[in-house]
Amino acid sequence: MAEALVALESALLTHGLPYPLNLRTAKALEEAVRAEGAIPKTIALVRGEVRLGLSPEEMEVLAQGGAEKASLWNLPALLVQKKSAGTTVAATVHLAHRHGIAVFATGGIGGVHPEPFDESADLWALARTPILVVSSGPKAILDLRATLERLETLGVSVVGYRTDRLPAFFSPSSPFPVPARVETPLEAALILRKSRELGLGAVLLVNPVSQGLPYEEVALWVEEANHQAAREGVFGKALTPYLLRRLSELSQGETDRVNERLLLENARLAARVALAFAGLE
């Protein structure tokens, strides 16, 4: 049987959470994958080299700050310049596939923002890469309807894990239906195999968090946070971390607790799918 490998992103470690919570969470995700019997591979750039799996010392250095954030558009330059960087969903998807990893676990994917022309590179990476990505849907700050439409246009297979509705990151459900549903990791693995046989891109396996927040409540917080960002002139790359920080404040830290829960649940599910897929190979 082939090895059951699970890719994990490192932007969470370098940019997603404050120190030392980022380090604890990254280690906990690796442990969650191991506990299910699979092998975690946290992907990052370390001094201009792609690393599939980090040493405790490398994790510590990346967690303490100062690293770049690697997406597809700056990945070659960062490697040539010998930089260290955390990899986004787009970069992790690309690097994982190039190195033979079929399953990747993350929290939420990027997508279409309410602001015109602001779309994540994650969408293009999913469209062209035959990998299975376990996430809790698009990040809560996005335009979910537009993101789902874009995923359809790009031919990304969106599959609900024991759900008929698109999870909305902090919320286990949203008003938007998904086109397919599976009940077991093996079913998800079979869809990935069939997708590859057809020459298609990613399978996005959306996994609703077990204990989340009501969709309508989070939507109100997102609306308030966006108004505050507009008043303060926050835009571009600074917008997403600003909005997530404001959501944490508005929810009195509850979004952070849900975020940690869904990350661990997605890592465990990804490990189970990776084991099932390895059994098919």
mmCIF file of all heavy atoms in Angstrom, residues 161-195:
data_model
loop_
_atom_site.group_PDB
_atom_site.id
_atom_site.type_symbol
_atom_site.label_atom_id
_atom_site.label_comp_id
_atom_site.label_asym_id
_atom_site.label_seq_id
_atom_site.Cartn_x
_atom_site.Cartn_y
_atom_site.Cartn_z
ATOM 1 N N TYR A 161 -19.117 16.616 3.001
ATOM 2 C CA TYR A 161 -18.903 15.435 3.838
ATOM 3 C C TYR A 161 -20.036 15.370 4.856
ATOM 4 O O TYR A 161 -20.085 16.132 5.811
ATOM 5 C CB TYR A 161 -17.543 15.489 4.536
ATOM 6 C CG TYR A 161 -17.234 14.200 5.291
ATOM 7 C CD1 TYR A 161 -16.910 13.046 4.591
ATOM 8 C CD2 TYR A 161 -17.281 14.142 6.677
ATOM 9 C CE1 TYR A 161 -16.646 11.857 5.249
ATOM 10 C CE2 TYR A 161 -17.021 12.957 7.350
ATOM 11 C CZ TYR A 161 -16.693 11.816 6.634
ATOM 12 O OH TYR A 161 -16.436 10.632 7.307
ATOM 13 N N ARG A 162 -20.973 14.470 4.596
ATOM 14 C CA ARG A 162 -22.160 14.290 5.440
ATOM 15 C C ARG A 162 -22.972 15.573 5.570
ATOM 16 O O ARG A 162 -23.566 15.846 6.612
ATOM 17 C CB ARG A 162 -21.758 13.749 6.825
ATOM 18 C CG ARG A 162 -21.053 12.399 6.755
ATOM 19 C CD ARG A 162 -20.591 11.898 8.105
ATOM 20 N NE ARG A 162 -19.922 10.598 7.956
ATOM 21 C CZ ARG A 162 -19.279 9.967 8.937
ATOM 22 N NH1 ARG A 162 -19.241 10.507 10.147
ATOM 23 N NH2 ARG A 162 -18.697 8.807 8.717
ATOM 24 N N THR A 163 -22.984 16.357 4.490
ATOM 25 C CA THR A 163 -23.789 17.580 4.466
ATOM 26 C C THR A 163 -24.246 17.866 3.044
ATOM 27 O O THR A 163 -23.546 17.531 2.080
ATOM 28 C CB THR A 163 -23.011 18.790 5.018
ATOM 29 O OG1 THR A 163 -23.861 19.926 5.029
ATOM 30 C CG2 THR A 163 -21.784 19.111 4.165
ATOM 31 N N ASP A 164 -25.422 18.488 2.914
ATOM 32 C CA ASP A 164 -25.939 18.924 1.617
ATOM 33 C C ASP A 164 -25.754 20.424 1.413
ATOM 34 O O ASP A 164 -26.115 20.952 0.367
ATOM 35 C CB ASP A 164 -27.439 18.605 1.519
ATOM 36 C CG ASP A 164 -27.706 17.109 1.578
ATOM 37 O OD1 ASP A 164 -27.053 16.365 0.830
ATOM 38 O OD2 ASP A 164 -28.554 16.697 2.391
ATOM 39 N N ARG A 165 -25.217 21.107 2.425
ATOM 40 C CA ARG A 165 -25.066 22.564 2.384
ATOM 41 C C ARG A 165 -23.601 22.954 2.493
ATOM 42 O O ARG A 165 -22.808 22.279 3.159
ATOM 43 C CB ARG A 165 -25.843 23.207 3.537
ATOM 44 C CG ARG A 165 -27.338 23.032 3.431
ATOM 45 C CD ARG A 165 -27.936 24.037 2.482
ATOM 46 N NE ARG A 165 -29.297 23.708 2.086
ATOM 47 C CZ ARG A 165 -30.024 24.471 1.288
ATOM 48 N NH1 ARG A 165 -29.527 25.601 0.807
ATOM 49 N NH2 ARG A 165 -31.245 24.114 0.941
ATOM 50 N N LEU A 166 -23.251 24.044 1.856
ATOM 51 C CA LEU A 166 -21.887 24.538 1.913
ATOM 52 C C LEU A 166 -21.587 25.066 3.311
ATOM 53 O O LEU A 166 -22.261 25.998 3.772
ATOM 54 C CB LEU A 166 -21.694 25.662 0.891
ATOM 55 C CG LEU A 166 -20.280 26.264 0.819
ATOM 56 C CD1 LEU A 166 -19.315 25.259 0.179
ATOM 57 C CD2 LEU A 166 -20.302 27.560 0.015
ATOM 58 N N PRO A 167 -20.618 24.498 4.012
ATOM 59 C CA PRO A 167 -20.222 25.098 5.286
ATOM 60 C C PRO A 167 -19.621 26.489 5.047
ATOM 61 O O PRO A 167 -19.027 26.743 3.994
ATOM 62 C CB PRO A 167 -19.162 24.139 5.833
ATOM 63 C CG PRO A 167 -19.317 22.878 5.044
ATOM 64 C CD PRO A 167 -19.831 23.297 3.704
ATOM 65 N N ALA A 168 -19.779 27.358 6.029
ATOM 66 C CA ALA A 168 -19.273 28.730 5.908
ATOM 67 C C ALA A 168 -18.209 28.992 6.965
ATOM 68 O O ALA A 168 -18.307 29.921 7.750
ATOM 69 C CB ALA A 168 -20.414 29.734 6.026
ATOM 70 N N PHE A 169 -17.223 28.098 7.018
ATOM 71 C CA PHE A 169 -16.065 28.226 7.897
ATOM 72 C C PHE A 169 -16.480 28.140 9.364
ATOM 73 O O PHE A 169 -16.570 27.049 9.908
ATOM 74 C CB PHE A 169 -15.315 29.518 7.576
ATOM 75 C CG PHE A 169 -13.911 29.562 8.134
ATOM 76 C CD1 PHE A 169 -13.020 28.538 7.883
ATOM 77 C CD2 PHE A 169 -13.474 30.637 8.887
ATOM 78 C CE1 PHE A 169 -11.722 28.575 8.387
ATOM 79 C CE2 PHE A 169 -12.183 30.681 9.394
ATOM 80 C CZ PHE A 169 -11.307 29.648 9.155
ATOM 81 N N PHE A 170 -16.779 29.260 10.015
ATOM 82 C CA PHE A 170 -17.198 29.225 11.416
ATOM 83 C C PHE A 170 -18.593 28.617 11.593
ATOM 84 O O PHE A 170 -18.957 28.216 12.688
ATOM 85 C CB PHE A 170 -17.213 30.641 12.015
ATOM 86 C CG PHE A 170 -15.910 31.372 11.954
ATOM 87 C CD1 PHE A 170 -15.827 32.627 11.370
ATOM 88 C CD2 PHE A 170 -14.761 30.820 12.490
ATOM 89 C CE1 PHE A 170 -14.623 33.313 11.321
ATOM 90 C CE2 PHE A 170 -13.547 31.493 12.447
ATOM 91 C CZ PHE A 170 -13.478 32.745 11.861
ATOM 92 N N SER A 171 -19.357 28.566 10.516
ATOM 93 C CA SER A 171 -20.737 28.070 10.565
ATOM 94 C C SER A 171 -20.821 26.727 9.836
ATOM 95 O O SER A 171 -20.328 26.608 8.712
ATOM 96 C CB SER A 171 -21.693 29.065 9.906
ATOM 97 O OG SER A 171 -21.525 30.361 10.462
ATOM 98 N N PRO A 172 -21.435 25.725 10.455
ATOM 99 C CA PRO A 172 -21.496 24.413 9.805
ATOM 100 C C PRO A 172 -22.409 24.358 8.583
ATOM 101 O O PRO A 172 -22.356 23.408 7.817
ATOM 102 C CB PRO A 172 -22.012 23.492 10.915
ATOM 103 C CG PRO A 172 -22.683 24.394 11.890
ATOM 104 C CD PRO A 172 -21.998 25.710 11.813
ATOM 105 N N SER A 173 -23.240 25.392 8.399
ATOM 106 C CA SER A 173 -24.152 25.371 7.267
ATOM 107 C C SER A 173 -24.353 26.786 6.736
ATOM 108 O O SER A 173 -24.060 27.769 7.416
ATOM 109 C CB SER A 173 -25.497 24.777 7.673
ATOM 110 O OG SER A 173 -26.348 24.636 6.552
ATOM 111 N N SER A 174 -24.839 26.861 5.506
ATOM 112 C CA SER A 174 -25.162 28.135 4.860
ATOM 113 C C SER A 174 -26.385 27.906 3.976
ATOM 114 O O SER A 174 -26.833 26.772 3.811
ATOM 115 C CB SER A 174 -23.980 28.620 4.018
ATOM 116 O OG SER A 174 -23.902 27.885 2.799
ATOM 117 N N PRO A 175 -26.940 28.950 3.362
ATOM 118 C CA PRO A 175 -28.095 28.751 2.482
ATOM 119 C C PRO A 175 -27.770 28.067 1.157
ATOM 120 O O PRO A 175 -28.683 27.772 0.388
ATOM 121 C CB PRO A 175 -28.580 30.187 2.232
ATOM 122 C CG PRO A 175 -27.953 31.030 3.281
ATOM 123 C CD PRO A 175 -26.656 30.384 3.588
ATOM 124 N N PHE A 176 -26.500 27.785 0.875
ATOM 125 C CA PHE A 176 -26.102 27.363 -0.463
ATOM 126 C C PHE A 176 -25.869 25.846 -0.535
ATOM 127 O O PHE A 176 -25.054 25.298 0.209
ATOM 128 C CB PHE A 176 -24.840 28.109 -0.884
ATOM 129 C CG PHE A 176 -24.972 29.592 -0.718
ATOM 130 C CD1 PHE A 176 -24.299 30.246 0.307
ATOM 131 C CD2 PHE A 176 -25.815 30.334 -1.538
ATOM 132 C CE1 PHE A 176 -24.432 31.614 0.488
ATOM 133 C CE2 PHE A 176 -25.962 31.698 -1.363
ATOM 134 C CZ PHE A 176 -25.273 32.338 -0.344
ATOM 135 N N PRO A 177 -26.573 25.147 -1.432
ATOM 136 C CA PRO A 177 -26.408 23.688 -1.550
ATOM 137 C C PRO A 177 -25.119 23.321 -2.273
ATOM 138 O O PRO A 177 -24.595 24.093 -3.082
ATOM 139 C CB PRO A 177 -27.631 23.271 -2.382
ATOM 140 C CG PRO A 177 -27.976 24.482 -3.180
ATOM 141 C CD PRO A 177 -27.613 25.671 -2.337
ATOM 142 N N VAL A 178 -24.609 22.129 -1.965
ATOM 143 C CA VAL A 178 -23.459 21.589 -2.698
ATOM 144 C C VAL A 178 -23.962 20.534 -3.677
ATOM 145 O O VAL A 178 -25.011 19.924 -3.466
ATOM 146 C CB VAL A 178 -22.412 20.984 -1.734
ATOM 147 C CG1 VAL A 178 -21.751 22.071 -0.916
ATOM 148 C CG2 VAL A 178 -23.022 19.926 -0.829
ATOM 149 N N PRO A 179 -23.244 20.307 -4.780
ATOM 150 C CA PRO A 179 -23.751 19.413 -5.825
ATOM 151 C C PRO A 179 -23.623 17.926 -5.526
ATOM 152 O O PRO A 179 -24.228 17.107 -6.214
ATOM 153 C CB PRO A 179 -22.893 19.793 -7.039
ATOM 154 C CG PRO A 179 -21.642 20.345 -6.455
ATOM 155 C CD PRO A 179 -22.022 21.023 -5.182
ATOM 156 N N ALA A 180 -22.812 17.569 -4.528
ATOM 157 C CA ALA A 180 -22.615 16.142 -4.234
ATOM 158 C C ALA A 180 -22.323 15.977 -2.750
ATOM 159 O O ALA A 180 -21.911 16.912 -2.073
ATOM 160 C CB ALA A 180 -21.467 15.581 -5.069
ATOM 161 N N ARG A 181 -22.541 14.743 -2.288
ATOM 162 C CA ARG A 181 -22.370 14.435 -0.864
ATOM 163 C C ARG A 181 -21.783 13.041 -0.722
ATOM 164 O O ARG A 181 -22.124 12.142 -1.498
ATOM 165 C CB ARG A 181 -23.720 14.528 -0.159
ATOM 166 C CG ARG A 181 -23.755 14.006 1.270
ATOM 167 C CD ARG A 181 -25.146 14.100 1.854
ATOM 168 N NE ARG A 181 -25.196 13.509 3.203
ATOM 169 C CZ ARG A 181 -25.913 13.993 4.197
ATOM 170 N NH1 ARG A 181 -26.665 15.057 4.005
ATOM 171 N NH2 ARG A 181 -25.894 13.408 5.383
ATOM 172 N N VAL A 182 -20.904 12.859 0.273
ATOM 173 C CA VAL A 182 -20.399 11.523 0.608
ATOM 174 C C VAL A 182 -20.576 11.306 2.106
ATOM 175 O O VAL A 182 -20.676 12.258 2.881
ATOM 176 C CB VAL A 182 -18.921 11.332 0.219
ATOM 177 C CG1 VAL A 182 -18.741 11.413 -1.287
ATOM 178 C CG2 VAL A 182 -18.022 12.343 0.922
ATOM 179 N N GLU A 183 -20.586 10.035 2.489
ATOM 180 C CA GLU A 183 -20.771 9.669 3.900
ATOM 181 C C GLU A 183 -19.512 9.095 4.529
ATOM 182 O O GLU A 183 -19.414 9.030 5.753
ATOM 183 C CB GLU A 183 -21.902 8.643 4.029
ATOM 184 C CG GLU A 183 -23.238 9.101 3.486
ATOM 185 C CD GLU A 183 -23.796 10.309 4.221
ATOM 186 O OE1 GLU A 183 -23.555 10.439 5.438
ATOM 187 O OE2 GLU A 183 -24.476 11.132 3.561
ATOM 188 N N THR A 184 -18.549 8.670 3.696
ATOM 189 C CA THR A 184 -17.360 8.003 4.235
ATOM 190 C C THR A 184 -16.088 8.533 3.564
ATOM 191 O O THR A 184 -16.127 9.033 2.432
ATOM 192 C CB THR A 184 -17.420 6.492 3.992
ATOM 193 O OG1 THR A 184 -17.320 6.234 2.563
ATOM 194 C CG2 THR A 184 -18.717 5.890 4.523
ATOM 195 N N PRO A 185 -14.940 8.380 4.245
ATOM 196 C CA PRO A 185 -13.659 8.736 3.611
ATOM 197 C C PRO A 185 -13.395 7.942 2.333
ATOM 198 O O PRO A 185 -12.806 8.472 1.381
ATOM 199 C CB PRO A 185 -12.636 8.415 4.704
ATOM 200 C CG PRO A 185 -13.385 8.575 5.982
ATOM 201 C CD PRO A 185 -14.764 8.069 5.680
ATOM 202 N N LEU A 186 -13.820 6.677 2.301
ATOM 203 C CA LEU A 186 -13.596 5.872 1.102
ATOM 204 C C LEU A 186 -14.350 6.444 -0.091
ATOM 205 O O LEU A 186 -13.803 6.490 -1.210
ATOM 206 C CB LEU A 186 -14.028 4.422 1.349
ATOM 207 C CG LEU A 186 -13.913 3.484 0.138
ATOM 208 C CD1 LEU A 186 -12.495 3.454 -0.401
ATOM 209 C CD2 LEU A 186 -14.389 2.076 0.502
ATOM 210 N N GLU A 187 -15.586 6.887 0.109
ATOM 211 C CA GLU A 187 -16.328 7.513 -0.991
ATOM 212 C C GLU A 187 -15.587 8.741 -1.522
ATOM 213 O O GLU A 187 -15.521 8.968 -2.734
ATOM 214 C CB GLU A 187 -17.721 7.922 -0.517
ATOM 215 C CG GLU A 187 -18.719 6.801 -0.347
ATOM 216 C CD GLU A 187 -20.060 7.344 0.102
ATOM 217 O OE1 GLU A 187 -20.873 7.724 -0.764
ATOM 218 O OE2 GLU A 187 -20.292 7.411 1.329
ATOM 219 N N ALA A 188 -15.050 9.538 -0.610
ATOM 220 C CA ALA A 188 -14.290 10.724 -1.028
ATOM 221 C C ALA A 188 -13.051 10.319 -1.818
ATOM 222 O O ALA A 188 -12.719 10.932 -2.848
ATOM 223 C CB ALA A 188 -13.892 11.551 0.194
ATOM 224 N N ALA A 189 -12.362 9.273 -1.363
ATOM 225 C CA ALA A 189 -11.168 8.791 -2.058
ATOM 226 C C ALA A 189 -11.510 8.283 -3.455
ATOM 227 O O ALA A 189 -10.759 8.498 -4.418
ATOM 228 C CB ALA A 189 -10.499 7.691 -1.238
ATOM 229 N N LEU A 190 -12.645 7.620 -3.584
ATOM 230 C CA LEU A 190 -13.070 7.123 -4.892
ATOM 231 C C LEU A 190 -13.373 8.280 -5.849
ATOM 232 O O LEU A 190 -13.081 8.204 -7.052
ATOM 233 C CB LEU A 190 -14.301 6.229 -4.738
ATOM 234 C CG LEU A 190 -14.039 4.850 -4.114
ATOM 235 C CD1 LEU A 190 -15.357 4.183 -3.725
ATOM 236 C CD2 LEU A 190 -13.253 3.964 -5.079
ATOM 237 N N ILE A 191 -13.960 9.364 -5.326
ATOM 238 C CA ILE A 191 -14.227 10.538 -6.171
ATOM 239 C C ILE A 191 -12.919 11.165 -6.626
ATOM 240 O O ILE A 191 -12.775 11.578 -7.791
ATOM 241 C CB ILE A 191 -15.115 11.546 -5.430
ATOM 242 C CG1 ILE A 191 -16.540 10.991 -5.316
ATOM 243 C CG2 ILE A 191 -15.139 12.902 -6.151
ATOM 244 C CD1 ILE A 191 -17.504 11.858 -4.543
ATOM 245 N N LEU A 192 -11.916 11.237 -5.748
ATOM 246 C CA LEU A 192 -10.612 11.768 -6.143
ATOM 247 C C LEU A 192 -10.006 10.897 -7.249
ATOM 248 O O LEU A 192 -9.497 11.422 -8.252
ATOM 249 C CB LEU A 192 -9.671 11.815 -4.936
ATOM 250 C CG LEU A 192 -8.219 12.201 -5.252
ATOM 251 C CD1 LEU A 192 -8.133 13.593 -5.876
ATOM 252 C CD2 LEU A 192 -7.345 12.118 -4.000
ATOM 253 N N ARG A 193 -10.078 9.586 -7.091
ATOM 254 C CA ARG A 193 -9.514 8.703 -8.123
ATOM 255 C C ARG A 193 -10.227 8.898 -9.457
ATOM 256 O O ARG A 193 -9.570 8.996 -10.515
ATOM 257 C CB ARG A 193 -9.603 7.240 -7.682
ATOM 258 C CG ARG A 193 -8.922 6.297 -8.667
ATOM 259 C CD ARG A 193 -8.837 4.880 -8.150
ATOM 260 N NE ARG A 193 -10.144 4.224 -8.128
ATOM 261 C CZ ARG A 193 -10.311 2.919 -7.837
ATOM 262 N NH1 ARG A 193 -9.262 2.166 -7.544
ATOM 263 N NH2 ARG A 193 -11.521 2.386 -7.830
ATOM 264 N N LYS A 194 -11.550 8.976 -9.429
ATOM 265 C CA LYS A 194 -12.301 9.167 -10.672
ATOM 266 C C LYS A 194 -12.000 10.525 -11.289
ATOM 267 O O LYS A 194 -11.863 10.645 -12.519
ATOM 268 C CB LYS A 194 -13.805 9.025 -10.403
ATOM 269 C CG LYS A 194 -14.684 9.148 -11.633
ATOM 270 C CD LYS A 194 -14.342 8.095 -12.690
ATOM 271 C CE LYS A 194 -14.642 6.696 -12.211
ATOM 272 N NZ LYS A 194 -14.350 5.677 -13.290
ATOM 273 N N SER A 195 -11.887 11.552 -10.465
ATOM 274 C CA SER A 195 -11.564 12.890 -10.960
ATOM 275 C C SER A 195 -10.219 12.901 -11.677
ATOM 276 O O SER A 195 -10.056 13.511 -12.731
ATOM 277 C CB SER A 195 -11.560 13.880 -9.789
ATOM 278 O OG SER A 195 -11.282 15.185 -10.235
#
